[in-house]
Amino acid sequence: MKIKHVYQHDDTGCGLACVAMLVNKTYFEVKDYVLNNGIITNDTNYFGTTFKQIATILNGLGMNASSRRKFKKWSNIPAKVAIASTNYANSGNWHWVVFVRDIDGCYIYDPQKPRKKIRDLRGKMSGWFMEVSY
């Protein structure tokens, strides 16, 4: 699965940006999809998403998401591609990222960062993940 980095355009839009990366759409296409399908309402410009909402969005856009599972180390995530919620910046706030494992190792795409791939996962916090497939 080829993944293209997508930047989040709303402060709380990290989940939408991660879905956009996984389904090869723009941030705004995914945002329109969730608003038009009532998955998120635009009452307060808050676009934070739960695991259930992420799974619903992925399934609606042709992807399969496993049930969520906890991880303590990034290298222990068995999936080739996953969407993960983590407090990796140690800020107290949870944040969605896309996790990838390939022949080059493990890395993440952070929709809040301009850098394409983050390979140095040392010090990044544990969290929850859902494996993603077609």
Side-chain angles (χ1 to χ4, degrees), residues 5 24-25 42 48 51 53 60 71 74 83 97 115 122:
H5 183 268
N24 197 28
K25 293 195 178 290
N42 194 11
F51 275 93
Q53 289 170 318
F71 71 93
W74 290 92
I83 186 165
V97 297
R115 193 181 329 159
R122 291 174 296 175

Side-chain angles (χ1 to χ4, degrees), residues 38-52:
I39 299 167
I40 294 177
T41 59
N42 194 11
D43 297 339
T44 61
N45 286 326
Y46 178 78
F47 296 101
T49 47
T50 65
F51 275 93
K52 184 177 180 180

Side-chain angles (χ1 to χ4, degrees), residues 73-78 99 101 106 121:
K73 293 169 120 181
W74 290 92
S75 60
N76 289 346
I77 295 177
F99 170 86
R101 174 189 304 281
C106 302
L121 303 178

Side-chain angles (χ1 to χ4, degrees), residues 21-41:
M21 288 184 228
L22 294 168
V23 299
N24 197 28
K25 293 195 178 290
T26 68
Y27 178 83
F28 297 104
E29 288 172 322
V30 172
K31 184 177 176 180
D32 286 345
Y33 175 82
V34 300
L35 291 171
N36 291 335
N37 288 282
I39 299 167
I40 294 177
T41 59

